[in-house]
């Protein structure tokens, strides 16, 4: 009986070519595992394609709700954004996918897990760190790093390899954007984006959204509710998190929300340029922050911001299954205990415009904030506060004056 390998299978050209390559190079039975994180019609026709390519079995695993509840929501609670722009769409999905690959490998008794990530990207790190953390005994095969036995270097090479192995599939050799899509976002790399001097060809590129200048001339109001930091409804309709994201993707895409062009610092050390569409995610993050600024105290917000940046880095670097991620997530859960309320905003040509926030746990006091303060705030108290708060500055200035006079003599 042959050993088995579980292949992270997307149905694209790379992973299609990997199936006969694994059989030919290692004499494995190949168990394909396609993880559905919300990539839509990309899953169409996968069963026949895997069979024609020589797979022994195909799993199609629906992870959409798991992805939304157990990976997106913790990042949302943390306001985790990498380098102030990237909302971690691909980064969050990889540990969810890797966890299910390990589960399938255990079920099938596989000796190895194979992925098609390149040797230059972040995904190889995210997949492999997750697998190491969950299944240190399972071997990882990364064809693109095995240049002694993986000799294909282009789409043309892969198409020719498939043809020689009797796999005649509808893949074209012409160049296109390299994309990754799931429930949260779609990313675009390649073509004109490889040169940061080039403006993105949004007419050709966008999938989920329209450019802001092509959005409706009239804004659209949206109302959302949160309970303990978790979104619960849109425009009065209660929904599970995955459906809320789908609804906000539709609304945000229509108004050109969440299109970013970023040159980011990859884990492997290089800079890469990409365009990300995250319409629903951008709305969720902004709405969540809108509620937090009403509910959280200053010291908690300051610490949360620092740890949120750290959380984003942890997720980006593929360190989801670590004690540090668990510890920071536990802190975030505590901060969300009272992040409950309603948020209203207007979507207009790429902008999310506040239109009112309410919460039973609001720390905003109208009487305190107004110019006619009541008993809680005595203006005279500011005298002593400023004296003490500014004491280090005053002492230093006095010392500098003293030294200046001394030097004049």
């Amino acid at each position: 009986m042959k050993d088995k390998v579980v292949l992270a299978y997307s149905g694209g050209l790379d992973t299609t070519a990997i199936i006969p390559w694994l059989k030919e190079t290692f004499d494995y039975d190949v168990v394909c595992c396609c993880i559905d994180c919300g990539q839509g019609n990309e899953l169409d026709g996968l069963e026949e394609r895997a069979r024609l390519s020589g797979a022994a079995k195909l799993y199609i695993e629906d992870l959409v709700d798991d992805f939304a509840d157990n990976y997106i929501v913790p990042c949302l609670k943390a306001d985790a954004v990498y380098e102030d722009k990237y909302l971690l769409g691909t980064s969050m999905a990889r540990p969810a996918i890797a966890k299910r690959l390990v589960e399938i490998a255990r079920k099938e008794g596989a000796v190895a897990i194979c992925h098609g990530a390149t040797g230059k990207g972040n995904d190889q790190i995210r997949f492999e760190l997750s697998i190491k953390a969950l299944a240190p005994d399972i071997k990882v095969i990364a064809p693109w790093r095995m240049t002694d036995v993986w000799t294909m270097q282009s789409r043309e090479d892969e198409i020719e390899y498939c043809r020689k192995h009797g796999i005649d599939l509808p893949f074209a050799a012409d160049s296109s954007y390299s994309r990754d899509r799931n429930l949260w976002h779609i990313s675009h790399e390649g073509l004109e984006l490889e040169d940061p001097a080039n403006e993105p060809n949004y007419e050709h590129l966008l999938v989920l959204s329209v450019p802001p200048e092509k959005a409706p001339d009239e804004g659209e109001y949206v109302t959302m509710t949160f309970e303990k930091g978790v979104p619960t409804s849109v425009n009065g309709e209660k929904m599970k998190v995955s459906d809320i994201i789908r609804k906000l993707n539709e609304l945000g895409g229509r108004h050109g929300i969440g299109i970013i062009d970023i040159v980011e610092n990859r884990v492997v050390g290089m800079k890469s340029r990409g365009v990300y569409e995250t319409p629903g995610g951008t709305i969720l993050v902004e709405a969540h922050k809108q509620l937090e600024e009403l509910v959280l105290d200053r010291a908690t917000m300051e610490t949360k911001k620092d740890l949120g940046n750290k959380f984003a880095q942890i997720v980006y670097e593929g360190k989801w299954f670590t004690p540090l991620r668990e510890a920071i997530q536990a802190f975030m859960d505590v901060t969300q205990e009272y992040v409950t309320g309603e948020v209203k905003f207007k979507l207009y040509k790429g902008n999310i415009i506040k239109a009112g926030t309410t919460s039973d746990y609001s720390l905003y006091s109208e009487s305190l904030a107004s110019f006619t303060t009541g008993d809680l705030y005595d203006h005279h108290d500011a005298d002593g506060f400023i004296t003490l708060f500014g004491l280090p500055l005053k002492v230093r200035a006095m010392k500098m004056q003293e030294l200046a006079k001394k030097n004049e003599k």
Side-chain angles (χ1 to χ4, degrees), residues 196-352:
N198 293 333
E199 180 182 6
N201 182 1
Y202 287 122
E203 295 292 333
H204 181 224
L205 181 149
L206 295 176
V207 174
L208 300 177
S209 315
V210 298
E213 61 268 26
K214 290 200 169 183
D217 290 332
E218 188 173 331
E220 182 171 2
Y221 285 95
V222 179
T223 302
M224 289 190 62
T225 58
F226 289 82
E227 292 181 14
K228 296 188 176 184
V230 180
T232 53
S233 73
V234 178
N235 292 333
E237 184 179 353
K238 285 196 171 292
M239 304 181 218
K240 61 182 180 179
V241 175
S242 59
D243 285 339
I244 286 175
I245 295 169
R246 289 188 183 98
K247 181 64 176 177
L248 294 178
N249 276 337
E250 173 195 331
L251 293 170
R254 185 159 65 235
H255 292 277
I257 306 294
I259 303 167
I260 67 159
D261 179 356
I262 181 175
V263 175
E264 69 195 67
N265 291 293
R266 285 183 178 174
V267 183
V268 293
M270 71 182 70
K271 289 183 181 289
S272 67
R273 194 260 190 109
V275 169
Y276 297 93
E277 296 177 71
T278 320
T282 301
I283 294 171
L284 267 177
V285 169
E286 289 303 312
H288 181 253
K289 286 181 177 179
Q290 188 172 325
L291 183 57
E292 279 190 325
E293 67 183 26
L294 201 65
V295 171
L296 297 185
D297 64 274
R298 177 183 175 184
T300 300
M301 284 190 74
E302 287 177 349
T303 304
K304 185 175 184 293
K305 184 176 181 180
D306 290 340
L307 287 178
N309 288 333
K310 185 63 179 176
F311 197 86
Q313 183 182 350
I314 289 168
V315 177
Y316 187 82
E317 293 180 350
K319 297 176 181 176
W320 185 274
F321 298 107
T322 61
L324 182 56
R325 190 274 305 169
E326 293 175 3
I328 295 178
Q329 186 170 322
F331 168 84
M332 296 300 172
D333 285 340
V334 171
T335 69
Q336 300 302 291
E337 182 66 25
Y338 301 109
V339 183
T340 296
E342 183 177 278
V343 179
K344 187 177 181 182
F345 47 88
K346 181 169 70 173
L347 306 179
Y348 179 69
K349 291 191 179 294
N351 296 289
I352 303 169

Side-chain angles (χ1 to χ4, degrees), residues 135-204:
D137 55 304
I138 293 180
K139 183 167 67 172
V140 175
I141 298 174
W144 282 97
R145 299 203 307 263
M146 303 171 69
T147 53
D148 53 334
V149 286
W150 176 268
T151 57
M152 291 169 275
Q153 299 298 315
S154 66
R155 289 179 66 86
E156 288 85 357
D157 289 347
E158 290 177 318
I159 290 169
E160 179 62 19
Y161 181 82
C162 288
R163 189 189 63 77
K164 285 182 177 178
H165 287 76
I167 305 169
D168 185 17
L169 293 170
F171 294 116
D174 61 321
S175 295
S176 60
Y177 295 105
S178 173
R179 289 183 165 114
D180 178 77
R181 181 175 181 175
N182 58 40
L183 175 70
W184 187 247
H185 86 156
I186 184 167
S187 64
H188 312 267
E189 293 178 344
L191 297 187
E192 80 276 1
L193 302 180
E194 291 188 347
D195 184 350
N198 293 333
E199 180 182 6
N201 182 1
Y202 287 122
E203 295 292 333
H204 181 224

